[in-house]
Amino acid sequence: MGISRLPISVFVFFLLSARHLSLGDPITCSGIVPMKHRSQMLSISDFGAVGDGTTLNTNAFNAAIDRIRNASSSEGTLLYVPRGVYLTQSFNLTSHMTLYLADGAVIKALQDTEKWPLIDPLPSYGRGRERPGSRYISFIHGDGLTDVVITGKNGTIDGAGEPWWYMWRHGTLKFTRPGLIEFKNSTDILISHVVLKNSPFWTLHPVYCSGVVIHHVTILAPTDSPNTDGIDPDSSSNMCIEDSYISTGDDLVADTEKWPLIDPLPSYGRGRERPGSRYISFIHGDGLTDVVITGKNGTIDGAGEPWWYMWRHGTLKFTRPGLIEFKNSTDILISHVVLKNSPFWTLHPVYCSGVVIHHVTILAPTDSPNTDGIDPDSSSNMCIEDSYISTGDDLVAVKSGWDEYGIAYNRPSRDITIRRITGSSPFAGIAIGSETSGGIQNVTVENITLYNSGIGVHIKTNIGRGGSIQGITVSGIQLEKVRTGIKISGNTGDHPDDKFNTSALPVVQGITIKNVWGIKVERAGMVQGLKDAPFTNLCFSNVTFTGTKGSPIWKCSDVVGAAEKVNPTACPELTSTSQQGGYCGNQA
């Protein structure tokens, strides 16, 4: 998956409350495994180690760790690694020890894959993760240990993974590659203030562990290095991962199995992707008031790759988590942050009032599924402005519930302003729907710039939705290189189940779209209502599209509206008289 990643503070799971967002001391969970004072200290140099980058120091590390293992000290021993590059083969740690890397200290793996030791596969995997049978032991390994610390002054543990990546790329691996550090069946593990780089495989792998704290670590690997996950908590509990920088060739933190579940939204009746529960958002707030997320353009990274992989391969058990969701909340402000790689919808205020989002950047790969930027959902009194969004789905999509569940919940989205948004999407720049069952009213969209996108503005609903879409004003839109400039459709979106009422037809009326300009537009517009519920009182004013291969066309059905100063000329359904519901009025 190999994409470049920005600095982040990674949390496995974070429940947000208003009191947590004070500007005082930062919240930390690192106290579950405190730093230990060691009564004795050894230096690796005392055992003949030479940090010249060429001398092999395996015997020195093994001898030092054997000394610690056989020591009688109840408080444990610190093994000090001074400045220098210490070449070694893999080695095993022991309990009640601290491995301390001084400033400029490097413990580097010997690039000798032929003599690398093998161990049994993990019982929860049944075989090596990449190849049947055994697996190569991690560079630094601990099994059945307690009270182990790896820390220092940002010294480096270098896995020298290049020959292993080469074998993976050329299909010559005999067994599963070694990780950099693995703790197995261990407790009270603390890793901090070190640099971990160039792991042959997964970098930091606590498996069957409890009580693990990882903080202030830097994990690095080239973006094209295969499967160099940053941190992989695996069948482990009571863990804290925070305040770290990770840039690798695969997932930063990968743990989807133990992601918490919550109830589906009542206006959806089930998870949006799968029946039943849904995974909680990465950052979540329910029933809150007066909450601010802001900063100096720091990043919240959802590390969505494993979730996208499951979606593509049909292995999702429940609906994917969003990046940030506020539910039943008021007075929410989000500004001056970067939100990236959400597993699902990125920013989802649902059943909220008084939400302001400005000066945010939202990013996800164009092929990342359903990574909407901002989804106001059954919410009111919202302002979204001055932001850049580039994702794999709609940039902003206003919603209000899904079919019979949204009709029953009956909470509209209304009084929403969206302005000065720039971005690109393979789907829509600005969308209304398709979940519109609670109704969507009084939405103002203005001064939007979109490029390399599927649709400029998309208002979408379906039979069974019910609800009304009205009082929508869109103006000041600039488009470049889009497939369809404007689309208003009555046959878009799926259904939660087969219980939807086919007689529940949406009402779409009072839509004004004006002052729109687009170049390299393939199709000007598609405006398609429903035969038994035509869309009425539509106004298109001062709309100009030019194409790359001649003039783009309009396609319309079951609509009544007016078109003034529209080029290319709109379809006949959009040239009705005022008596027929087609009057634009003064829309200059």
Side-chain angles (χ1 to χ4, degrees), residues 44-45 49-54 57 61 80-87 101-108 155-157:
I44 195 66
S45 301
V50 179
D52 60 3
T54 58
N57 296 288
F61 278 100
Y80 180 81
V81 182
R83 174 181 290 271
V85 179
Y86 297 86
L87 193 66
L101 286 81
D103 180 27
V106 179
I107 301 174
K108 187 171 183 178
T156 298
I157 299 173

Side-chain angles (χ1 to χ4, degrees), residues 267-302:
S267 58
Y268 284 72
R270 46 158 279 185
R272 185 59 183 85
E273 299 184 288
R274 294 288 184 272
S277 301
R278 60 194 181 111
Y279 293 108
I280 194 169
S281 61
F282 180 52
I283 295 177
H284 194 76
D286 190 354
L288 307 183
T289 188
D290 184 20
V291 179
V292 178
I293 299 176
T294 191
K296 290 189 176 181
N297 296 312
T299 299
I300 300 172
D301 190 333

